[in-house]
Amino acid sequence: MADLSINFAGIKSPNPFWLASAPPTNSGAQIHRAFEYGWGGAVWKTIGAPVLNVSNRYGAWHYGGQKMLAINNVELISDRPLEVNLREIRDVKRHWPDRAVIVSAMVESTPEAWRDIILKIEDTGADGIELNYGCPHGMSERGMGSAVGQVPEYCQQITQWVMDVAKIPVIVKLTPNVASVVPPARAALAAGANALSLINTINSIIGIDLDTLEITPSIGGKGGHGGYAGPAVKPIALNLLSSLGVDPVVKQSGVPISGMGGISTWRDAAEFLLLGATSLQVCTAVMHYGYRIIEDLTDGLNAWMDAKGFKTIADVVGKSLPRISDFKDFDLSFRAVARINPDKCIQCNLCYVACNDTAHQCIDLVDASGNRVQPYSYDVRSNGKHEAVSTRPQPVVREDDCVGCRLCHNVCPVDGCIEMVELPSGRPSITWDELTKARPELATDWEAMKRYREEVGIEIH
Amino acid sequence: MQIIKPEEVLSEYHPPLTDHEAVVEANRCLYCYDAPCTHACPTHIDIPRFIKKIATGNLVGSARTILESNLMGATCARVCPVEELCEGACVLGAEHKPIMIGRLQRYATDYVYEHGIDVFKPGAPTGKKVAVIGAGPAGLTCAGELAKLGHSVTVFEKRELPNGLSTYGIIVLREPVEVALAEAEMVRRLGVEIKTQMELGRNLSWEEVRNNFDAVFLSVGLGSVPQLGIPGEELIVDGLSYIETSKMNPQALQVGREVVVIGAGNTAVDCATIAKRLGAERVTMVYRRTDKEMTAYPHEYEFAKKEGIEFRFLTQPVEVLHEGGKITGLKCVRMQLGAPDASGRPAPEPVPGSEFVLPCDQVVKAIGQEKPAVAKLLGLETEKGFIKVNHEFETSLPGVYAGGDCIRAKGSASTVMAVQDGKLAAFAIHRRLVAGLEAAAD
């Protein structure tokens, strides 16, 4: 059994799974229940300035019969009185000394307001504070949330006010609604933040009701942008996480990063850890299925770590970061081609149509005698399962023409049927950076590029 | 005593898919390209396309996709042997359950009929007139396709209601009458005139048809159940009438306590099912060959066994025993398989001295149908007794086409095959009529 416990900037937790600051962490009763299920920690739903919430609040995006690939929401920070939240935070922490209790906060941008809330949070016995610089809706209109997170100077200034007061670890939660998440992160670190977390929700309009033509969700006929979250945002979150992981300033600082954005399963969790997250925050998956999912999150992660020989979470964190590269550093001579395993192929022809219509036209349909045939070439008078099945052609890759785009592999519904196979290209390894340093004209002159291709034997079909 | 309500015990076997079930199932479809299900369907419905449209909530488009290839799509959704056709070819069949193509097709076609949506319009009039003899699936399909192309079509039907065996010959368990009639109404709304109780040679003369129409399509089906030629045969019930009564007037259907059904095709299974469900204590199907030669589909055979129907293979009836007009038993002889006969199947031969009696009080025969009588009436060339047609579905009389069971000298007779005949014949007739129109214009 691997050791799943973490020490995150001094905040200890028996496993890396925290509930993110959101509806699942709205009250003491909820967090008590979550901790009974085994969650390692919780970031209390943001407390701060007085608000009133609206209904409806959550929109959802369903696709292909799958519910809630993403949600968006226009729910604001906690609308429960500050004193009630503080009392419940204190109560939860007293009952669960081994779990991480972190309080998310957001107040108006004055030193006094921040000083006041920090002191109140610390008084509860909470383990840490998360500064919500992310909410893209509602609060940003009042100069809070992403209105702060989008401007590095504000990030630094407000973090500085907090760090002047705070005695417990401070995590700065970053907004993805920026061109690059690195400048706000650096600004937070410059002010002395103890940790970073990302991503907050992404600005979005989740959809339109085709019956009423209203924006979803409709608040009395009106709607607008809201924060986007859930499985669909995971690739964006991973990218932003890695952009911090490879940033020399962030790396140098050594601060831990709490990763979130579409974590639904232990597999997602492992990917976030491999790209540099030390703690993991979960929200939408819990909103979909409840706190009980913690069981497989820890169990699955544990089993995977055991299988891979990882003893502790620290062994996993950042393991894949060294593989993050830029295009200019990719080997231009690396060659992979698709190969279809005829024994596994069920002849759905999805690879064929994808390649033929939209990729590089290098898959043929081949009949039992090895002849290339056209689709839909059967006689209209033929019928019956025996004929349909027995005369069905097999998709076959013309490897010489395959550029290794991997589209067929991606669309194939059968696991392990289409593999990308590495083949020798016959050319020495070279990157774009190396190539254009040696021969700068290749980057600007198509004729020079043509000569180079002929020289090394690259044929583009 | 248990009271059996026919409308309950014979009501449609499969419930309709719920919206949720349909969408989940539709999303399971891989959307194969040049899909084997489409190839396997005799009418080549673009199955992945209609299923995709269910997944996206475009039910009218889905039904149109089905009906474009198969105007009798609502019937075929229910009666097609999908295990032998589309679903049997589904790529998911090997490792998983194939997609429920038939039930999805029913979901989409039911939607347009229940909502009164017509997905086609009559074509611009061409001024050409076509007569269709017989309002079964082949005839209605041919008529509908021709109407879509702008031809003026009149269908003559000898019975009271249109849609042939879909209306009269398929048990309600598989297809309610309303579905068959809705299809006929859809064809009628395309401008096709359907004249019922009009029979060729009785109150409709062939000369009248030939003189008043530019082309004729014969879709007359087959005749009644043939004679066995055994003593007491006059007491045997005709299987097709048995099914018809179960649909049209189930309260009037006389069902025995111990019923023997002669034959082992799909109609025989249907007759046995009706008898069993309407209270027969024991239903036995007798067949002179073995289960390997029987013509019922394997899934029908399994269904019958689950219904509690018993099978006596290698058994040939030789006499109906009766007392005072009441059947007391069916005298049979045991058979054995000998050398292959003309059909290529081993010929059954009686085992001498093996006579025995199956006690029963009702005997139903479902041993196929007589060849079409109209071939002789019109002097058409035939093939094994069926009307002979060329590749264009044209008979030996120029301008007279035929399709459906009456031409089924090869292959298996089924609704979907009849539909394909009707469709292809309509296109052939159209080509002929349009050529005539173009010649007139030149």
Side-chain angles (χ1 to χ4, degrees):
Chain A
M1 288 281 277
D3 176 6
L4 295 191
S5 69
I6 56 165
N7 181 339
F8 181 91
I11 302 169
K12 289 180 180 148
S13 142
N15 65 55
F17 295 104
W18 300 348
L19 291 165
S21 166
T25 59
N26 193 40
S27 68
Q30 284 174 286
I31 296 176
H32 276 299
R33 187 155 74 246
F35 284 173
E36 281 165 13
Y37 273 99
W39 287 84
V43 185
W44 205 277
K45 184 171 167 72
T46 307
I47 59 172
V51 297
L52 283 176
N53 274 310
V54 296
S55 60
N56 300 287
R57 297 183 196 179
Y58 311 140
W61 179 51
H62 317 297
Y63 181 78
Q66 287 258 73
K67 298 290 274 184
M68 273 194 15
L69 267 73
I71 64 171
N72 82 349
N73 80 84
V74 292
E75 186 168 302
L76 300 178
I77 64 172
S78 178
D79 51 11
R80 306 164 79 234
L82 191 60
E83 291 312 316
V84 173
N85 275 311
L86 292 169
R87 190 169 66 234
E88 292 180 5
I89 293 165
R90 181 191 310 274
D91 175 61
V92 166
K93 188 61 218 178
R94 206 178 62 233
H95 278 86
W96 300 94
D98 71 322
R99 309 298 171 94
V101 177
I102 295 125
V103 180
S104 173
M106 177 198 283
V107 289
E108 62 174 308
S109 299
T110 67
E112 298 73 26
W114 278 101
R115 177 189 167 83
D116 181 52
I117 195 85
I118 297 303
L119 291 177
K120 281 177 171 156
I121 291 168
E122 288 190 334
D123 193 44
T124 63
D127 299 295
I129 299 165
E130 187 177 77
L131 309 184
N132 182 347
Y133 291 174
C135 269
H137 52 88
M139 304 310 287
S140 51
E141 292 166 23
R142 291 163 61 176
M144 294 180 248
S146 66
V148 173
Q150 287 169 340
V151 183
E153 292 74 20
Y154 297 168
C155 277
Q156 184 163 350
Q157 178 66 73
I158 293 169
T159 307
Q160 191 64 61
W161 296 338
V162 171
M163 298 314 295
D164 287 346
V165 182
K167 297 185 195 66
I168 56 175
V170 173
I171 307 165
V172 172
K173 184 170 178 180
L174 301 168
T175 176
N177 297 301
V178 286
S180 167
V181 78
V182 171
R186 286 183 177 186
L189 295 177
N194 304 106
L196 301 169
S197 63
L198 81 172
I199 61 174
N200 206 306
T201 54
I202 307 170
N203 259 325
S204 64
I205 285 182
I206 203 86
I208 316 288
D209 184 318
L210 293 184
D211 288 325
T212 63
L213 313 191
E214 289 173 347
I215 308 300
T216 302
S218 167
I219 300 120
K222 292 181 179 173
H225 73 104
Y228 189 57
V233 312
K234 189 189 96 173
I236 297 165
L238 285 177
N239 177 49
L240 295 180
L241 173 65
S242 78
S243 72
L244 294 188
V246 300
D247 179 64
V249 175
V250 177
K251 247 198 301 197
Q252 176 73 32
S253 76
V255 303
I257 301 169
S258 186
M260 83 197 90
I263 296 175
S264 306
T265 70
W266 65 265
R267 309 184 76 94
D268 302 327
E271 291 177 57
F272 274 78
L273 293 172
L274 288 166
L275 284 184
T278 299
S279 80
L280 306 164
Q281 297 187 35
V282 182
C283 174
T284 307
V286 172
M287 292 179 75
H288 198 161
Y289 298 111
Y291 299 126
R292 62 194 165 129
I293 66 166
I294 186 61
E295 197 275 331
D296 186 51
L297 285 172
T298 52
D299 188 48
L301 184 63
N302 215 317
W304 173 75
M305 286 172 65
D306 284 350
K308 287 284 171 191
F310 293 120
K311 300 266 187 292
T312 68
I313 294 292
D315 292 345
V316 182
V317 172
K319 271 286 179 294
S320 294
L321 273 177
R323 294 175 182 268
I324 297 274
S325 304
D326 291 332
F327 184 92
K328 65 182 170 60
D329 297 320
F330 297 157
D331 182 0
L332 295 170
S333 299
F334 179 79
R335 182 176 179 228
V337 298
R339 200 168 282 168
I340 303 169
N341 181 341
D343 296 330
K344 289 189 174 177
C345 177
I346 57 173
Q347 289 142 3
C348 68
N349 288 356
L350 290 180
C351 58
Y352 171 82
V353 70
C355 183
N356 199 48
D357 283 3
T358 66
H360 295 85
Q361 300 83 46
C362 63
I363 299 182
D364 295 327
L365 295 177
V366 175
D367 69 14
S369 329
N371 299 316
R372 209 176 134 181
V373 295
Q374 290 304 308
Y376 295 100
S377 52
Y378 52 82
D379 183 340
V380 293
R381 288 166 197 252
S382 74
N383 64 71
K385 69 174 174 184
H386 296 295
E387 176 172 337
V389 171
S390 65
T391 64
R392 190 148 176 83
Q394 172 80 36
V396 178
V397 178
R398 282 194 320 281
E399 289 184 4
D400 285 349
D401 294 337
C402 175
V403 302
C405 77
R406 204 169 183 260
L407 181 62
C408 56
H409 168 92
N410 293 329
V411 301
C412 180
V414 181
D415 284 344
C417 176
I418 302 185
E419 302 281 14
M420 299 307 293
V421 181
E422 184 180 345
L423 290 185
S425 67
R427 300 192 302 273
S429 167
I430 191 163
T431 68
W432 177 257
D433 205 29
E434 292 162 347
L435 182 63
T436 53
K437 272 197 182 109
R439 300 168 76 160
E441 70 279 11
L442 290 183
T444 53
D445 181 356
W446 271 112
E447 282 304 313
M449 178 59 83
K450 183 174 171 226
R451 285 193 299 277
Y452 172 73
R453 288 207 319 256
E454 282 165 0
E455 200 179 296
V456 298
I458 296 172
E459 191 197 338
I460 294 176
H461 298 281
Chain B
M1 194 189 138
Q2 194 197 348
I3 295 166
I4 295 170
K5 294 182 178 164
E7 65 278 12
E8 284 176 11
V9 296
L10 295 182
S11 68
E12 192 162 14
Y13 184 72
H14 288 294
L17 292 178
T18 65
D19 294 345
H20 178 71
E21 282 174 320
V23 169
V24 168
E25 188 65 5
N27 275 301
R28 211 165 66 80
C29 172
L30 295 178
Y31 199 32
C32 294
Y33 181 72
D34 183 9
C37 52
T38 293
H39 182 178
C41 171
T43 61
H44 308 296
I45 296 171
D46 192 332
I47 292 165
R49 183 191 301 209
F50 96 69
I51 292 179
K52 187 73 171 176
K53 290 179 180 183
I54 292 175
T56 66
N58 177 11
L59 293 184
V60 176
S62 179
R64 184 184 296 116
T65 300
I66 295 162
L67 298 172
E68 267 168 5
S69 294
N70 183 331
L71 275 181
M72 303 294 120
T75 289
C76 288
R78 292 166 164 87
V79 307
C80 265
V82 290
E83 295 84 351
E84 309 302 313
L85 302 173
C86 53
E87 292 182 20
C90 176
V91 300
L92 294 181
E95 280 190 43
H96 311 277
K97 282 173 66 164
I99 299 295
M100 292 191 276
I101 298 167
R103 294 185 70 188
L104 286 171
Q105 180 168 319
R106 177 176 152 194
Y107 178 78
T109 51
D110 279 359
Y111 180 85
V112 291
Y113 286 121
E114 282 166 12
H115 289 77
I117 298 166
D118 280 322
V119 299
F120 302 120
K121 287 188 185 126
T126 60
K128 294 287 179 182
K129 290 167 72 180
V130 182
V132 172
I133 314 293
L140 288 183
T141 300
C142 184
E145 293 294 344
L146 288 167
K148 281 161 65 182
L149 293 164
H151 304 295
S152 167
V153 188
T154 307
V155 181
F156 299 98
E157 166 58 45
K158 69 177 178 183
R159 306 195 69 152
E160 193 181 342
L161 296 172
N163 216 350
L165 288 179
S166 302
T167 298
Y168 290 103
I170 291 166
I171 57 175
V172 175
L173 211 60
R174 295 207 279 148
E175 182 186 8
V177 180
E178 296 74 33
V179 175
L181 296 181
E183 279 175 337
E185 284 309 305
M186 178 261 296
V187 170
R188 208 172 241 153
R189 286 194 301 275
L190 283 169
V192 171
E193 189 177 8
I194 303 176
K195 293 185 167 177
T196 57
Q197 294 178 302
M198 296 288 282
E199 186 175 2
L200 207 57
R202 188 169 64 88
N203 55 359
L204 176 67
S205 82
W206 180 237
E207 287 66 34
E208 195 184 328
V209 172
R210 283 294 258 171
N211 293 339
N212 292 327
F213 295 93
D214 300 295
V216 182
F217 181 64
L218 298 171
S219 45
V220 293
L222 296 170
S224 54
V225 180
Q227 292 291 308
L228 281 162
I230 60 174
E233 179 154 13
E234 64 282 0
L235 295 172
I236 297 182
V237 181
D238 176 318
L240 283 173
S241 315
Y242 204 67
I243 292 172
E244 181 183 329
T245 310
S246 80
K247 296 190 84 174
M248 299 300 162
N249 190 8
Q251 302 292 351
L253 187 68
Q254 299 290 319
V255 175
R257 207 163 58 83
E258 288 188 280
V259 180
V260 173
V261 178
I262 304 170
N266 298 302
T267 305
V269 170
D270 284 356
C271 292
T273 304
I274 293 168
K276 190 77 192 169
R277 290 203 166 211
L278 289 180
E281 281 173 20
R282 184 173 189 150
V283 178
T284 310
M285 293 178 63
V286 300
Y287 179 51
R288 62 196 181 120
R289 303 177 198 252
T290 73
D291 57 352
K292 288 182 189 65
E293 291 84 26
M294 67 192 278
T295 53
Y297 296 116
H299 63 273
E300 289 285 313
Y301 181 36
E302 290 306 314
F303 173 82
K305 285 194 285 191
K306 279 191 193 136
E307 290 280 303
I309 292 156
E310 294 168 35
F311 286 81
R312 296 292 291 261
F313 294 107
L314 293 169
T315 300
Q316 169 123 304
V318 291
E319 185 182 353
V320 181
L321 306 177
H322 52 93
E323 275 171 25
K326 291 202 169 166
I327 295 176
T328 58
L330 184 67
K331 190 172 178 188
C332 300
V333 60
R334 299 282 302 157
M335 305 292 280
Q336 59 191 8
L337 292 182
D341 64 10
S343 75
R345 301 179 298 183
E349 296 160 359
V351 178
S354 66
E355 285 83 0
F356 66 101
V357 174
L358 274 174
C360 60
D361 55 6
Q362 186 173 46
V363 179
V364 180
K365 67 175 174 184
I367 52 168
Q369 286 178 266
E370 299 266 16
K371 302 295 185 293
V374 77
K376 198 172 279 176
L377 183 76
L378 306 183
L380 300 171
E381 275 183 40
T382 58
E383 183 178 4
K384 296 182 195 165
F386 297 90
I387 297 172
K388 187 178 177 184
V389 293
N390 66 15
H391 202 64
E392 292 271 270
F393 293 88
E394 196 169 11
T395 67
S396 54
L397 287 179
V400 178
Y401 295 74
D405 287 358
C406 66
I407 66 158
R408 193 66 61 230
K410 324 187 245 300
S412 56
S414 62
T415 309
V416 67
M417 293 297 289
V419 171
Q420 181 70 348
D421 289 354
K423 185 174 83 181
L424 295 180
F427 297 156
I429 291 168
H430 175 66
R431 282 191 293 273
R432 165 188 284 260
L433 298 181
V434 167
L437 281 174
E438 280 166 359
D442 286 343

